[in-house]
Amino acid sequence: MTDLLLKNVRPLGGAAVDVLVQDGRISQLGANQQAPAGVAQEDGQGALLLPGLVEGHTHLDKTTWGDAWYVNNVGSALTDRIDNERQWRAKTGHDARTHAKALALAFLKEGATCIRTHVDVDTDAGLKHLEGVNAVRDELADRMRIQTVAFPQSGLLKRSGTAELLDQALASGADVLGGLDPSAIDRDPARSLDVLFDLANKHSKPVDIHLHEPGDLGAFSMDLILDRTEALGMQGKVTISHAFCLGALETPRLNGLLERLAHLRVGILTTAPASRPVPSVRACRDAGVTIFSGNDGVRDTWTPYGDPDLLMRARLVGLRNDFRRDSELAWALACVTGAAAKACGFTDYGLHVGARADLVLVDASCVAEAVAQHRPKTLVVAAGRVVARNGAAV
Amino acid sequence: MTDLLLKNVRPLGGAAVDVLVQDGRISQLGANQQAPAGVAQEDGQGALLLPGLVEGHTHLDKTTWGDAWYVNNVGSALTDRIDNERQWRAKTGHDARTHAKALALAFLKEGATCIRTHVDVDTDAGLKHLEGVNAVRDELADRMRIQTVAFPQSGLLKRSGTAELLDQALASGADVLGGLDPSAIDRDPARSLDVLFDLANKHSKPVDIHLHEPGDLGAFSMDLILDRTEALGMQGKVTISHAFCLGALETPRLNGLLERLAHLRVGILTTAPASRPVPSVRACRDAGVTIFSGNDGVRDTWTPYGDPDLLMRARLVGLRNDFRRDSELAWALACVTGAAAKACGFTDYGLHVGARADLVLVDASCVAEAVAQHRPKTLVVAAGRVVARNGAAV
């Protein structure tokens, strides 16, 4: 059932309207809509209406969601975490498909209808994790949109054979090509990025590069990424995730990079971590750079944190950026709604006629309250289907 | 009813025990306890048992909890926020007592059984807000412990007559004397601190000073505070709240201050804001400094954030300090339990025979899970009374 009349809801806190959904899309939006014969009706009771939430960067394949608690005693270097996880997966036989599905459904219950998930591809596991998550993507396609990113978590050049695996991954259904710290991990930034961009170009796929490199090193790698984006005409097809360097540069250097990012339409993903320098949401927006957000890992061997409720991520974006005004909290929401959809290329998105009917009702007076306070969701509609009601999956 | 047998609970995630409560205190704690005749029994079902949570720094008098959403369009300077609030209170006639009680009960429902609240004292409102919150403190005394801090939010020297009001506040029942930025706000740090410490000394009351001053300015003011703590023999009676400067000093200067703080038993309160330098929980603990946490404001004209669930605050402490290991998450919990009780002087606190029976059950396997993930509380017991069950007040 993908037809529905949703009565008395307030889009982004505006005046109350009714939303008519037909064939899984918004077909009418306005006062006093009537349900065609046989169409189910929901009373929104004046709730705040948000578009489906967008998880712009997570790792469905890594999660221990649904398992016993993973006791974390891992070292604090990036390579400690990478090596620990690869060994843990090999030892436990962790099944990416089962866990990815459990977490995807937890996201859906909390109103996330679009997800970009990075999936590890490495020479130990090959494409096993990716095949599992691709299967979940296809299985849940009637309810949610999941993009898979073939992600060389253990490095691209560092472990021989990885590029070939990524090539196969893109040929066999990964939606996006992932990358990782061409300087700090691969130790050969120019060659690493050449190999990566050649693969993306060969398969005509977008790129999403995890760039943890700090300060001037990160800025150096970022320029190399932007050079290749420009040379290959990949404007609008590249995301740089984390981009911590943008939080720790002198202003002229920062402004030069922001200008270039805007010009090449490269998106910036921030999880808004509290313990590191981060790109400023305000500075990116002011420069015309699309900045968006997501959890990164949820309950995995890397992190005990993460929450399928993306309004919590919006709250963390707000806290990290010291957003207190209602107008600023709307920017935090954009990071997990419209800006994320735009950056990831989820089309037909939003609260307008013709968009997919991905709708979230929140018992809140306005967007700011929904972001800053933990308010319950009363209804989640995904592609026109009611998938959760009052916090419980339907 | 302050007698109770709580069966099958796991203190801090340890082996399951039963807890016998008599006259509002823990009288037995171990395996196979029997309920004396007529004593009610609760089945903990193996839940994680935590001591009552401690809110170490909030402002019950400022909250709009229970009111319509406050649309924030306030300027971003500290003085903008101070002036806006004082004017807003005068204009709306905001009733501190009603709102403080509503928020205190929201805290209690989430397991907070001890609260230190700062209450504005200024020459516009006089002692009105403090009288309101003192009344709430007394009204709820059978269930929770609330400490009131007479707090010169608009400055001590800056507005003439404030010191006299603080003198009256301490004479008429405030538990603690508050202070605020002696350099940045009062512009005369030595005299400001002399007046403050003279008042505290006269009334034999502890002091809790909000020190937002950054870097070397904050360190300078901190040394002045420590000088007076030492001179007046107020070891163990002084808290410095926020102490942002400790997050932005060169290591030798930092270590010198930490050593002095430890020696004088001065506590450090951090709300662990994501957008400012903050004291490191690890560095404080390593130096023997008691560091603890709290919300600061909850849903007021200063901030749209804040959450009566102190496990959320512990999570923010963890995120700010990049705590990922289970052992580190236990430090985050300590910030809203034992360390906060110690710093604020809430005695008879903890999970031992003789302590007040302030008990929180969480549906979580361990402390780390309770901190890092949003897990439901199944029972809250305050001074031996069941006050909340499955998230609802009893």
Side-chain angles (χ1 to χ4, degrees):
Chain A
M1 173 56 103
T2 60
D3 288 9
L4 181 71
L5 179 63
L6 187 54
K7 300 283 289 181
N8 189 18
V9 295
R10 293 175 303 107
L12 302 177
V17 297
D18 303 334
V19 182
L20 180 63
V21 174
Q22 293 182 296
D23 292 329
R25 289 179 182 263
I26 298 174
S27 65
Q28 300 283 344
L29 195 144
N32 300 314
Q33 299 296 318
Q34 302 302 320
V39 169
Q41 196 163 315
E42 292 279 346
D43 180 2
Q45 301 189 296
L48 176 71
L49 170 63
L50 304 179
L53 303 172
V54 182
E55 166 55 81
H57 183 121
T58 191
H59 294 265
L60 294 180
D61 63 314
K62 293 178 187 289
T63 189
T64 65
W65 196 262
D67 265 2
W69 184 249
Y70 175 80
V71 176
N72 185 315
N73 195 26
V74 185
S76 54
L78 187 57
T79 45
D80 290 337
R81 292 173 180 150
I82 291 171
D83 293 345
N84 171 71
E85 180 185 49
R86 205 178 50 248
Q87 290 156 15
W88 167 82
R89 293 224 243 205
K91 196 178 75 182
T92 61
H94 178 258
D95 176 33
R97 179 172 180 171
T98 307
H99 289 85
K101 182 175 175 184
L103 181 55
L105 291 174
F107 270 113
L108 184 64
K109 182 161 77 71
E110 294 294 340
T113 52
C114 296
I115 294 177
R116 173 176 281 192
T117 179
H118 299 252
V119 187
D120 287 12
V121 169
D122 65 56
T123 52
D124 281 11
L127 301 184
K128 187 173 73 168
H129 308 319
L130 183 67
E131 287 159 2
V133 181
N134 280 344
V136 173
R137 173 193 66 188
D138 299 342
E139 183 183 349
L140 300 182
D142 60 340
R143 279 160 282 177
M144 60 199 305
R145 292 186 276 181
I146 297 176
Q147 282 180 348
T148 58
V149 184
F151 173 53
Q153 173 74 79
S154 295
L156 169 54
L157 301 183
K158 209 179 164 194
R159 292 163 62 96
S160 167
T162 305
E164 292 72 13
L165 285 167
L166 292 175
D167 193 25
Q168 293 169 37
L170 293 173
S172 64
D175 301 301
V176 180
L177 176 61
L180 174 68
D181 295 335
S183 299
I185 297 289
D186 266 356
R187 326 296 288 178
D188 188 351
R191 193 164 70 88
S192 173
L193 290 171
D194 283 342
V195 171
L196 192 78
F197 275 83
D198 281 352
L199 278 170
N201 195 38
K202 173 180 172 188
H203 294 275
S204 298
K205 297 277 187 177
V207 166
D208 189 331
I209 301 174
H210 299 222
L211 188 64
H212 307 90
E213 296 167 6
D216 289 309
L217 177 62
F220 168 73
S221 294
M222 189 175 283
D223 261 329
L224 297 184
I225 293 168
L226 298 179
D227 291 345
R228 286 154 180 78
T229 303
E230 193 165 6
L232 292 171
M234 287 184 64
Q235 290 86 344
K237 301 281 188 192
V238 176
T239 297
I240 300 177
S241 284
H242 309 308
F244 297 138
C245 63
L246 294 179
L249 295 174
E250 299 293 327
T251 304
R253 179 76 167 114
L254 172 63
N255 288 344
L257 277 172
L258 289 177
E259 197 175 314
R260 215 173 163 209
L261 289 164
H263 178 67
L264 296 170
R265 286 181 282 124
V266 172
I268 295 293
L269 176 288
T270 180
T271 65
S275 60
R276 304 199 59 153
V278 291
S280 156
V281 170
R282 179 193 292 269
C284 285
R285 289 181 64 101
D286 285 353
V289 175
T290 300
I291 182 164
F292 65 110
S293 193
N295 271 282
D296 210 339
V298 176
R299 251 195 84 160
D300 57 30
T301 65
W302 290 64
T303 178
Y305 307 102
D307 193 323
D309 181 1
L310 285 161
L311 292 177
M312 174 58 69
R313 182 56 46 182
R315 197 198 300 189
L316 296 176
V317 169
L319 286 166
R320 184 67 183 88
N321 287 272
D322 198 22
F323 288 162
R324 302 186 187 206
R325 297 179 177 200
D326 286 45
S327 54
E328 294 168 331
L329 290 167
W331 303 342
L333 180 70
C335 287
V336 296
T337 54
K342 180 182 171 193
C344 295
F346 291 113
T347 53
D348 301 336
Y349 175 87
L351 296 178
H352 54 80
V353 170
R356 272 172 70 111
D358 293 344
L359 308 169
V360 180
L361 295 190
V362 184
D363 179 17
S365 63
C366 59
V367 163
E369 186 179 10
V371 170
Q373 294 287 324
H374 194 77
R375 301 299 308 162
K377 300 192 189 79
T378 56
L379 197 74
V380 176
V381 174
R385 297 163 201 272
V386 173
V387 294
R389 197 186 293 279
N390 298 321
V394 170
Chain B
M1 175 54 106
T2 59
D3 287 9
L4 181 71
L5 179 63
L6 187 53
K7 301 282 289 182
N8 188 20
V9 294
R10 294 175 301 107
L12 302 177
V17 297
D18 303 336
V19 182
L20 181 62
V21 174
Q22 292 181 297
D23 292 330
R25 287 176 184 267
I26 298 173
S27 66
Q28 303 281 344
L29 195 144
N32 299 317
Q33 299 296 318
Q34 301 301 318
V39 167
Q41 197 162 316
E42 292 278 347
D43 180 2
Q45 301 189 295
L48 175 72
L49 171 62
L50 304 178
L53 304 172
V54 182
E55 167 54 80
H57 183 121
T58 191
H59 294 267
L60 294 180
D61 63 314
K62 293 178 189 289
T63 189
T64 64
W65 195 261
D67 266 1
W69 184 250
Y70 175 79
V71 176
N72 187 314
N73 194 26
V74 184
S76 55
L78 187 56
T79 45
D80 290 337
R81 290 171 182 151
I82 291 171
D83 294 344
N84 170 71
E85 180 185 49
R86 205 177 52 248
Q87 290 157 13
W88 168 81
R89 294 226 244 204
K91 195 178 74 183
T92 61
H94 178 259
D95 177 33
R97 179 171 180 171
T98 307
H99 289 86
K101 183 174 173 185
L103 181 55
L105 291 174
F107 270 113
L108 184 64
K109 182 162 76 71
E110 294 294 339
T113 53
C114 296
I115 293 178
R116 173 176 281 192
T117 178
H118 299 254
V119 187
D120 287 12
V121 170
D122 64 57
T123 52
D124 282 11
L127 302 184
K128 189 173 70 170
H129 307 319
L130 183 67
E131 287 160 1
V133 180
N134 280 346
V136 173
R137 173 193 66 191
D138 299 342
E139 184 183 348
L140 301 181
D142 60 341
R143 280 160 280 177
M144 62 198 303
R145 293 187 276 183
I146 298 176
Q147 283 180 347
T148 57
V149 184
F151 172 53
Q153 173 74 78
S154 295
L156 169 54
L157 302 182
K158 208 180 164 194
R159 292 163 63 98
S160 166
T162 305
E164 292 72 15
L165 285 168
L166 292 175
D167 193 26
Q168 293 170 37
L170 293 172
S172 63
D175 301 302
V176 179
L177 177 60
L180 174 68
D181 296 334
S183 300
I185 297 287
D186 267 356
R187 328 294 292 178
D188 188 352
R191 192 162 73 85
S192 173
L193 291 170
D194 284 342
V195 171
L196 193 79
F197 275 84
D198 281 352
L199 278 170
N201 195 39
K202 173 180 170 188
H203 294 276
S204 298
K205 298 279 186 176
V207 167
D208 190 331
I209 302 174
H210 300 223
L211 189 63
H212 308 88
E213 296 167 6
D216 289 309
L217 176 63
F220 168 73
S221 294
M222 189 175 283
D223 261 329
L224 297 184
I225 293 168
L226 299 179
D227 291 345
R228 285 155 182 79
T229 303
E230 191 164 10
L232 293 170
M234 287 184 65
Q235 289 85 346
K237 301 281 189 193
V238 176
T239 297
I240 300 177
S241 285
H242 308 307
F244 297 136
C245 62
L246 294 178
L249 296 174
E250 299 292 327
T251 304
R253 180 75 169 114
L254 172 64
N255 288 345
L257 277 173
L258 290 176
E259 197 176 314
R260 218 176 160 206
L261 289 164
H263 178 69
L264 296 170
R265 288 180 280 123
V266 172
I268 296 292
L269 174 290
T270 181
T271 65
S275 60
R276 304 199 59 152
V278 291
S280 155
V281 170
R282 178 191 294 267
C284 284
R285 290 180 64 101
D286 286 352
V289 176
T290 300
I291 183 163
F292 65 110
S293 194
N295 272 284
D296 209 340
V298 177
R299 249 196 87 160
D300 57 29
T301 65
W302 291 65
T303 177
Y305 308 101
D307 194 322
D309 181 0
L310 285 159
L311 292 177
M312 173 56 69
R313 183 57 46 182
R315 195 197 301 187
L316 295 177
V317 169
L319 286 167
R320 184 67 184 87
N321 287 271
D322 199 23
F323 288 162
R324 303 186 187 207
R325 296 179 178 203
D326 286 45
S327 55
E328 294 169 329
L329 290 167
W331 303 342
L333 181 69
C335 286
V336 296
T337 56
K342 180 181 172 197
C344 295
F346 291 112
T347 54
D348 301 335
Y349 176 87
L351 296 178
H352 54 81
V353 171
R356 274 172 67 112
D358 294 343
L359 308 169
V360 180
L361 296 190
V362 184
D363 179 17
S365 63
C366 60
V367 163
E369 185 179 10
V371 170
Q373 292 289 325
H374 194 76
R375 300 297 310 160
K377 303 191 187 79
T378 56
L379 198 75
V380 177
V381 174
R385 298 162 199 271
V386 173
V387 295
R389 197 186 294 278
N390 298 321
V394 171

